[in-house]
Amino acid sequence: MRLHALLNFIPFLSLVLAQSKEDVKCRCLYGEPCWPTEQDFTSLTSHLSQPLLRPVPPASACYPINSPSGNCSDAQSHRRDSIWRADQPGAYENINFESHLFQNGSISACYLNTTLGIPCEQGNVPPIGVDARTVEDVQAAVKFAGQHNLRLVVKNTGHDYLGRSSGRNAFMIWTHRLKNITYNAEFIPEGGSKDNAIFGLTVGAGVQWHEAYDVAAQNNRFVVGGISASGSVGAAGGWIMGGGHSAFSPKFGLGVDNAVEFTIVKPNGDYAVANSHHNQDLFWALRGGGAGSWGVVISVTYKTHDLLPMILSVLNVTFPTLDAATSVATELVGLFPKLSDLGWGGYGALSNTSLLMGFMSPNVSWADVNSTILPFFDFAVNATQDPNALATTIPFANPYELINPSDDAGLQNAQEVGGLVELASRLLSRNAAEQRAEETARLLLSFDFVGINFVAGGAVGLAEPDSVALNPGWRKAVAHVYTSGNWEEGTSAETIKEIQRGVARHVRALDPISPDSTTYMNEASLYEPDFKKSFFGDHYDKLRAIKQIYDPNSLFVVAEGVASDEWDDTLTCPR
Ligand SMILES: Cc1cc2nc3c(=O)[nH]c(=O)nc-3n(C[C@H](O)[C@H](O)[C@H](O)COP(=O)(O)OP(=O)(O)OC[C@H]3O[C@@H](n4cnc5c(N)ncnc54)[C@H](O)[C@@H]3O)c2cc1C
Ligand SMILES: *[C@@H]1O[C@H](CO)[C@@H](O)[C@H](O)[C@H]1NC(C)=O
Ligand SMILES: *[C@@H]1O[C@H](CO)[C@@H](O)[C@H](O)[C@H]1NC(C)=O
Ligand SMILES: *[C@@H]1O[C@H](CO)[C@@H](O)[C@H](O)[C@H]1NC(C)=O
Ligand SMILES: *[C@@H]1O[C@H](CO)[C@@H](O)[C@H](O)[C@H]1NC(C)=O
Ligand SMILES: *[C@@H]1O[C@H](CO)[C@@H](O)[C@H](O)[C@H]1NC(C)=O
Ligand SMILES: *[C@@H]1O[C@H](CO)[C@@H](O)[C@H](O)[C@H]1NC(C)=O
Ligand SMILES: *[C@@H]1O[C@H](CO)[C@@H](O)[C@H](O)[C@H]1NC(C)=O
Ligand SMILES: *[C@@H]1O[C@H](CO)[C@@H](O)[C@H](O)[C@H]1NC(C)=O
Ligand SMILES: *[C@@H]1O[C@H](CO)[C@@H](O)[C@H](O)[C@H]1NC(C)=O
């Protein structure tokens, strides 16, 4: 009898298991029968402050069948304009993330270059979305996506280098118009007391750094933020949740070290405050646990700093020989630990033919420059014997004169955006810089080009590694180093895949500079051999557990984000 019962039980068990697997459904995509009806959308709209968005790739204006009223020359002339791109719900800053490359080699895209003769398609631009202006808008959108099991995408400025703000046939929440900014010289985190008061700057989810800088400057305060031509990166989206670096981080810490409070619409649609008094686990996760994984952030409050004068020192040299390049690059790498500890940061571009490096720090004197930076500049000028070498130092009354100029017409042409690009990167560890400077320099020079974000060390290294979710490897780093793969519109799928394999090889090749394979998730590759380790280090398991509490169904899932490995490559079906 017993045996008989057992035999019956086994098929039953298989049935139960098969059913429970079926219960974990794939996300519903636009075009599928499960997609909400017009009536469902009408009912959603009745809870929204704005009409629904129908985002389209910006180049669709050049294909009148799709968009009869479009202005093609407008789209083409703003290709490299990061502010313009951020203002379009269907535009992305790196335009490859507007298109979709299928496994079978087909590409769905809409190219600005109409002479290619390729028809315009929607690609990875979500076809429908919510133009969120209020907390209630976001709540209605999140609940709607949850109820209909939609593939959900949160888009802010569209700067993401891993395409995490686009998604084929997904439903979009556009946070760009959540533009509130308030400065409060006595900001008290909710639940805290007067003793916790700070000079706080609260920025809404759609605020961009140039706007945050304007308000901070009006109040004579400095806020650590993203630095790019036009200041178009979001101040309360991917930047902060991924870590948030700045050349001023060696002096004042990373974004995550300066954030004191978040407000958020959680995956269940509830609005909440996360700070050191409320939802501490979520507060921890939001500081480096990666964007797009925890709900929709509504605002972030940053601690601000005294506005201080600053100095910029720039070196621009060309290398006559590989030996000269090696000796200059070795000297540079070896200098990062000491300089960062003195509060210097900066940005650079290095290849076997040239180095362009800008160092900057607030609150330093000419004497400081003479004793720290100038010896290196002298060394480089002598080693290269470059007659056109540029080695110059410029003081600024405050950092905004440099990073947020009121007339940024020149910066518009910086060509930082509008390309088709993927990155490969690693954080440069202090240990490699100190102990293996020459080996590191030789490795960096083996790439066509490396970008150097000198944004770690100093104050970044002093923060308690477990105080925030950010990969603890950041605390042992002195810089972030990246290289890229680039292509043009119209490139064949075969060639793109070849370039992508090259990016994957670059990731592995950079490993020696970061013994723990640590990197900055916001400027990284889609082909990380182990993204959990590289992006989150030993904080991953705790993050996964926190996600289970707030988002048990993984409504919020992004490429190489927490729990993303439990989904297929298009983040549509559970594995
Ligand atoms: C030109 C350029 C310059 C850059 N400069 C810097 C720099 O100086 N320092 C630096 O650290 N990084 C820099 N970055 C990288 C930047 O941090 C990332 O691209 C980041 O993802 C941008 O976030 P975003 O919100 O502006 O962009 P988006 O692409 O719109 O969003 C990025 C990610 O955040 C999620 N997200 C956005 N808003 C929310 C929200 N409110 N709630 C939940 N999830 C949200 C999205 O779903 C997506 O996963 C730069 C990138 C570019 C292209
Ligand atoms: C189209 O865009 C161009 C470039 O931005 C602009 O000069 C022109 O006025 C626009 N035309 C129309 C009809 O809006
Ligand atoms: C490739 O796959 C896509 C999506 O399934 C399909 O639309 C397209 O027709 C396919 N292309 C080829 C060449 O088979
Ligand atoms: C557009 O594509 C054509 C054909 O490949 C090419 O010759 C031309 O240079 C491209 N134009 C631009 C602006 O990239
Ligand atoms: C923006 O600020 C206004 C005025 O203080 C306030 O009424 C509104 O609720 C704020 N919006 C959000 C999304 O916080
Ligand atoms: C650096 O030097 C190169 C070669 O002389 C030059 O082409 C480039 O414009 C210079 N860049 C800056 C920012 O000075
Ligand atoms: C700026 O420098 C002055 C003089 O060295 C020093 O007293 C002050 O503490 C410094 N301030 C900051 C924020 O570093
Ligand atoms: C720094 O060095 C420059 C050039 O070498 C010199 O002119 C200047 O007097 C020095 N300044 C200080 C404060 O040492
Ligand atoms: C200048 O460089 C040459 C060779 O590159 C080296 O021999 C010399 O010592 C250097 N001089 C100084 C002052 O560093
Ligand atoms: C310099 O780099 C280029 C591009 O990567 C490469 O083709 C060239 O061989 C390198 N030169 C030397 C001397 O290593």
Side-chain angles (χ1 to χ4, degrees):
M1 284 306 276
R2 293 255 154 158
L3 185 63
H4 185 230
L6 189 63
L7 286 174
N8 276 333
F9 182 68
I10 286 173
F12 172 73
L13 190 69
S14 319
L15 198 74
V16 170
L17 288 177
Q19 272 177 351
S20 71
K21 202 165 183 189
E22 251 169 46
D23 277 340
V24 190
K25 287 204 212 80
C26 293
R27 289 280 136 80
C28 185
L29 300 176
Y30 175 81
E32 293 180 343
C34 56
W35 189 252
T37 62
E38 277 309 312
Q39 215 173 4
D40 294 327
F41 280 112
T42 306
S43 144
L44 168 64
T45 311
S46 71
H47 299 283
L48 300 176
S49 68
Q50 306 297 315
L52 285 173
L53 294 169
R54 310 275 170 176
V56 289
S60 63
C62 304
Y63 300 79
I65 297 161
N66 303 55
S67 175
S69 59
N71 184 339
C72 180
S73 60
D74 199 36
Q76 286 174 331
S77 66
H78 289 113
R79 172 170 178 172
R80 306 270 174 194
D81 180 342
S82 62
I83 297 286
W84 186 90
R85 301 200 78 78
D87 284 343
Q88 320 299 315
Y92 289 81
E93 302 280 339
N94 303 302
I95 64 180
N96 46 311
F97 296 112
E98 292 169 6
S99 61
H100 188 86
L101 176 54
F102 290 103
Q103 289 293 339
N104 66 12
S106 286
I107 298 175
S108 173
C110 187
Y111 295 127
L112 282 162
N113 187 344
T114 51
T115 58
L116 291 165
I118 300 171
C120 170
E121 292 179 9
Q122 186 79 14
N124 271 359
V125 177
I128 195 155
V130 166
D131 182 2
R133 310 278 175 111
T134 66
V135 172
E136 291 75 21
D137 285 345
V138 175
Q139 289 179 304
V142 168
K143 284 183 188 155
F144 184 81
Q147 272 156 14
H148 293 277
N149 192 32
L150 307 182
R151 160 106 165 80
L152 176 62
V153 160
V154 182
K155 185 190 180 222
N156 184 20
T157 65
H159 274 80
D160 199 77
Y161 279 114
L162 287 84
R164 292 172 294 195
S165 46
S166 68
R168 183 166 176 75
N169 292 326
F171 176 70
M172 177 197 287
I173 299 179
W174 196 40
T175 59
H176 180 62
R177 303 234 189 260
L178 289 162
K179 289 284 191 188
N180 278 1
I181 312 184
T182 17
Y183 174 72
N184 183 346
E186 286 172 278
F187 178 86
I188 299 173
E190 198 175 298
S193 68
K194 269 192 178 151
D195 301 342
N196 308 116
I198 53 145
F199 297 89
L201 184 72
T202 302
V203 290
V207 171
Q208 294 166 273
W209 277 115
H210 71 98
E211 297 161 326
Y213 290 147
D214 282 345
V215 175
Q218 283 154 21
N219 290 283
N220 279 310
R221 302 295 296 170
F222 182 67
V223 61
V224 177
I227 297 181
S228 63
S230 312
S232 58
V233 172
W239 184 85
I240 179 63
M241 285 175 265
H245 69 57
S246 154
F248 299 96
S249 292
K251 179 76 180 171
F252 297 124
L254 293 164
V256 292
D257 302 323
N258 286 278
V260 298
E261 182 169 291
F262 291 77
T263 62
I264 184 169
V265 171
K266 295 187 291 181
N268 69 2
D270 289 349
Y271 179 68
V273 170
N275 63 21
S276 52
H277 309 281
H278 298 295
N279 298 302
Q280 290 98 328
D281 51 357
L282 188 55
F283 181 46
W284 185 82
L286 289 168
R287 290 174 295 163
S293 304
W294 313 98
V296 181
V297 163
I298 299 295
S299 71
V300 180
T301 303
Y302 292 104
K303 170 166 74 185
T304 63
H305 303 271
D306 290 343
L307 199 52
L308 299 162
M310 67 159 282
I311 279 181
L312 169 72
S313 294
V314 181
L315 176 73
N316 188 10
V317 286
T318 54
F319 301 128
T321 60
L322 189 58
D323 278 351
T326 306
S327 68
V328 172
T330 300
E331 201 70 10
L332 175 70
V333 166
L335 200 58
F336 286 142
K338 177 183 159 203
L339 276 187
S340 66
D341 289 344
L342 292 169
W344 289 90
Y347 303 97
L350 174 71
S351 74
N352 66 14
T353 54
S354 67
L355 169 67
L356 173 62
M357 185 78 216
F359 293 108
M360 56 193 89
S361 175
N363 213 32
V364 284
S365 63
W366 279 98
D368 293 330
V369 175
N370 283 6
S371 65
T372 53
I373 307 281
L374 286 195
F376 167 64
F377 283 10
D378 290 344
F379 177 91
V381 172
N382 177 48
T384 59
Q385 294 292 316
D386 175 2
N388 300 316
L390 174 77
T392 185
T393 291
I394 312 165
F396 292 87
N398 69 63
Y400 298 126
E401 283 189 358
L402 175 69
I403 65 174
N404 208 35
S406 47
D407 171 20
D408 67 354
L411 294 178
Q412 288 290 352
N413 299 319
Q415 307 271 311
E416 277 187 325
V417 307
L420 295 92
V421 57
E422 288 187 7
L423 302 184
S425 67
R426 283 291 177 261
L427 283 164
L428 168 62
S429 76
R430 178 178 286 261
N431 188 274
E434 278 172 356
Q435 309 295 324
R436 294 182 280 119
E438 185 178 336
E439 191 187 318
T440 300
R442 287 187 190 280
L443 177 60
L444 299 185
L445 291 167
S446 72
F447 294 92
D448 286 357
F449 131 97
V450 290
I452 301 173
N453 290 332
F454 176 31
V455 293
V460 174
L462 295 177
E464 158 57 39
D466 296 328
S467 63
V468 296
L470 186 76
N471 189 337
W474 262 100
R475 308 305 176 182
K476 297 189 213 157
V478 290
H480 186 244
V481 176
Y482 62 93
T483 185
S484 69
N486 302 67
W487 62 97
E488 291 302 324
E489 288 187 334
T491 301
S492 71
E494 203 180 325
T495 305
I496 294 172
K497 285 180 179 169
E498 181 57 42
I499 292 166
Q500 291 175 333
R501 283 192 288 275
V503 170
R505 279 195 300 276
H506 290 334
V507 172
R508 289 191 294 276
L510 278 168
D511 247 358
I513 74 171
S514 192
D516 299 320
S517 305
T518 309
T519 193
Y520 179 36
M521 71 184 83
N522 281 347
E523 293 168 341
S525 153
L526 285 160
Y527 322 106
E528 283 293 342
D530 184 353
F531 79 85
K532 296 181 184 178
K533 178 181 173 193
S534 295
F535 290 4
F536 306 101
D538 64 10
H539 286 165
Y540 186 81
D541 291 345
K542 185 172 168 189
L543 282 164
R544 183 66 192 86
I546 295 172
K547 185 161 176 71
Q548 193 60 27
I549 297 169
Y550 290 92
D551 189 18
N553 298 325
S554 285
L555 180 60
F556 289 84
V557 59
V558 293
E560 298 189 341
V562 172
S564 63
D565 56 319
E566 297 159 32
W567 294 78
D568 66 6
D569 288 345
T570 61
L571 303 174
T572 308
C573 294
R575 278 196 203 280

